[in-house]
Amino acid sequence: MGRRTSRRFTRVDVDQPVRLYFGEKQYEQRAIQTLSLSGMYVSGHFEQQPGDICIVELSRFDAEAKIDLRAKGSVVKVYKDGIAIEFVSMST
């Protein structure tokens, strides 16, 4: 029997830099480790806590795709090597 998961959406491995803005505290060029329709896991050391709200900016322009994403997110988990962010709202 297969393992059941509570995940709503499939995660995709991504090697893409992202910018996170927590008010006055900003994190530039942090690496997205995984991305889904509901959120992302970002590698690095952060001083944030669960419940902290941020603005997520992701831009990518190449021959295959143009991505320009701006979202509001909430920190849901903090680990020693990164944070999990759930998207709260999104615009292009």
Side-chain angles (χ1 to χ4, degrees):
M1 202 162 167
R3 189 174 126 207
R4 295 191 67 138
T5 178
S6 62
R7 300 202 192 291
R8 295 180 297 169
F9 302 105
T10 301
R11 289 194 224 175
V12 177
D13 292 336
V14 177
D15 182 20
Q16 176 69 40
V18 65
R19 290 177 299 281
L20 302 175
Y21 301 97
F22 290 91
E24 297 294 317
K25 186 69 176 173
Q26 300 178 16
Y27 299 94
E28 298 280 338
Q29 300 298 315
R30 296 300 172 115
I32 299 172
Q33 193 170 39
T34 59
L35 178 67
S36 77
L37 291 175
S38 62
M40 62 176 57
Y41 184 83
V42 182
S43 298
H45 174 72
F46 296 89
E47 299 173 8
Q48 308 316 125
Q49 300 298 316
D52 287 355
I53 301 297
C54 67
I55 299 299
V56 176
E57 288 186 349
L58 169 67
S59 296
R60 178 178 173 171
F61 303 95
D62 60 30
E64 295 178 18
K66 175 186 175 188
I67 300 170
D68 194 15
L69 170 83
R70 183 175 171 93
K72 184 176 182 181
S74 175
V75 175
V76 290
K77 292 186 181 176
V78 178
Y79 300 93
K80 65 179 180 178
D81 63 346
I83 56 175
I85 297 173
E86 180 178 45
F87 297 133
V88 177
S89 66
M90 195 173 298
S91 63
T92 57

